[in-house]
Amino acid sequence: MPPTSQPKLVTTVAELRAALDSVRRSGKTIGLVPTMGALHEGHLSLVRKSKQECGYTVVSIYVNPSQFAAGEDLDEYPRALRADLDALAECGVELAFVPENDEVYRPRHATWVEVGGVAEPLEGQCRPGHFRGVATIVLKLLNMVRPDAAYFGQKDYQQALVIRQMVEDLDVPVELRVCPTVREPDGLAMSSRNAYLGADARQRSLVLFRSLELAERLVADGQRDAQSILDQMRQVILAADDARIDYIALADPDTLEPVDEINGPVVALLAVHIENTRLIDNLILKL
Ligand code: AMP
């Protein structure tokens, strides 16, 4: 293995701008991978894509308080900076941007990005204010880094649509890349929050992917009635003790409007609490 060098660790916007100005002058393209840290293979798949496509990769690690509501897991959210920097070094990432809260939200911060449309259903209903926080931090990071391309995961399907909407509506000059969901061998979508699951809950969490696979199979077998598919998905999920469903939906992949009869591509999305952990997942179902 070639020796790995740690990414340049930057904590202020001024330092970030100075470092990236000289990168841009050298003619390299810049890729940005925004994350909240506690990095896993899902994150690293985005990093590797950026490394393939761009001359210089910036990974931001920032647990953004404004996308957590009161009572959510902001304080418990896993933090693992040392291990994250090692993982980024192995991927050959050039720069890690790890700002403190007061560098991102300066005193008297008063501007927020409010996306309508695709931000409104599903997560928008269950987590009011969440996408406002996400859109605001992503726009700020895009303005701080000014990347040529920014990388997001399909794991957060609605989030990727919200960011696309914002980028189009606000004419943000960036290429968005949405990369496939990386899963554990048994199908559970990788997530930093999986660390909350005890052995028992970890086993029960498999019902999310099982229900998505069931939907995929039903559609492939010719079922067209969304309600019937949703009912069968619900049964699979509720077979797990203590599972609590926030939503299960079959929706148009672009608009997230609910689909009644399936006669084109559709995305199945769900949010389920297993014990105290809220998990989300999705799958595009093809006819
Ligand atoms: P997070 O740290 O959870 O905010 O995620 C940062 C980025 O990684 C987001 O664009 C996520 O969609 C993406 N991501 C998280 N988990 C996965 C996964 N299992 N597969 C692919 N991308 C992921």
Side-chain angles (χ1 to χ4, degrees):
M1 285 243 302
T4 55
S5 63
Q6 291 281 322
K8 182 179 172 68
L9 178 61
V10 168
T11 59
T12 67
V13 178
E15 228 187 320
L16 178 72
R17 291 231 161 98
L20 295 180
D21 279 350
S22 77
V23 172
R24 253 184 296 273
R25 270 198 304 276
S26 77
K28 285 185 178 155
T29 56
I30 297 173
L32 170 65
V33 183
T35 81
M36 298 205 299
L39 301 180
H40 51 65
E41 279 300 312
H43 298 114
L44 299 181
S45 72
L46 311 184
V47 169
R48 292 192 191 102
K49 192 80 181 155
S50 172
K51 285 290 297 177
Q52 274 169 24
E53 295 184 349
C54 302
Y56 192 96
T57 292
V58 176
V59 176
S60 60
I61 297 178
Y62 179 60
V63 182
N64 172 39
S66 74
Q67 69 191 69
F68 290 77
E72 290 187 345
D73 57 344
L74 174 62
D75 294 338
E76 294 82 44
Y77 197 85
R79 287 157 172 92
L81 184 58
R82 185 69 59 82
D84 288 351
L85 294 175
D86 288 345
L88 296 181
E90 286 217 8
C91 293
V93 164
E94 284 83 2
L95 191 150
F97 179 50
V98 189
E100 297 287 341
N101 281 336
D102 53 7
E103 181 69 12
V104 176
Y105 296 104
R106 289 176 291 274
R108 301 197 306 280
H109 177 100
T111 304
W112 300 96
V113 181
E114 202 66 73
V115 179
V118 291
E120 284 164 8
L122 308 174
E123 293 295 297
Q125 292 281 312
C126 296
R127 302 185 68 189
H130 171 65
F131 283 133
R132 175 189 196 251
V134 169
T136 302
I137 190 62
V138 171
L139 183 61
K140 282 173 70 68
L141 289 167
L142 291 171
N143 284 333
M144 291 170 186
V145 174
R146 293 200 286 132
D148 297 278
Y151 296 80
F152 298 90
Q154 192 197 313
K155 159 75 175 26
D156 298 277
Y157 189 92
Q158 187 175 9
Q159 170 174 284
L161 286 185
V162 168
I163 291 164
R164 183 168 302 286
Q165 181 82 46
M166 173 187 77
V167 160
E168 285 176 8
D169 289 349
L170 300 182
D171 305 294
V172 184
V174 67
E175 285 281 330
L176 294 184
R177 300 262 192 269
V178 180
C179 304
T181 302
V182 178
R183 298 179 179 282
E184 300 287 355
D186 61 10
L188 178 66
M190 288 192 181
S191 163
S192 307
R193 290 191 168 97
N194 293 351
Y196 299 148
L197 299 167
D200 215 56
R202 170 69 182 75
Q203 193 55 34
R204 280 181 276 146
S205 68
L206 292 178
V207 294
L208 278 85
F209 186 57
R210 283 201 196 119
S211 76
L212 292 172
E213 279 188 315
L214 171 66
E216 184 177 49
R217 209 161 50 241
L218 292 171
V219 167
D221 287 350
Q223 285 239 21
R224 294 292 170 260
D225 179 38
Q227 195 52 54
S228 151
I229 296 170
L230 290 170
D231 289 344
Q232 294 175 73
M233 291 174 74
R234 181 168 290 109
Q235 281 177 25
V236 170
I237 290 172
L238 295 181
D241 283 350
D242 286 346
R244 185 161 63 77
I245 297 172
D246 267 357
Y247 60 79
I248 317 180
L250 295 176
D252 180 289
D254 297 319
T255 64
L256 292 185
E257 276 162 21
V259 164
D260 293 328
E261 187 171 319
I262 296 166
N263 43 32
V266 58
V267 58
L269 308 112
L270 38 77
V272 177
H273 297 258
I274 303 283
E275 250 169 26
N276 300 322
T277 304
R278 184 175 187 275
L279 300 171
I280 60 172
D281 202 351
N282 67 84
L283 201 62
I284 303 257
L285 312 179
K286 301 215 173 65
L287 289 190

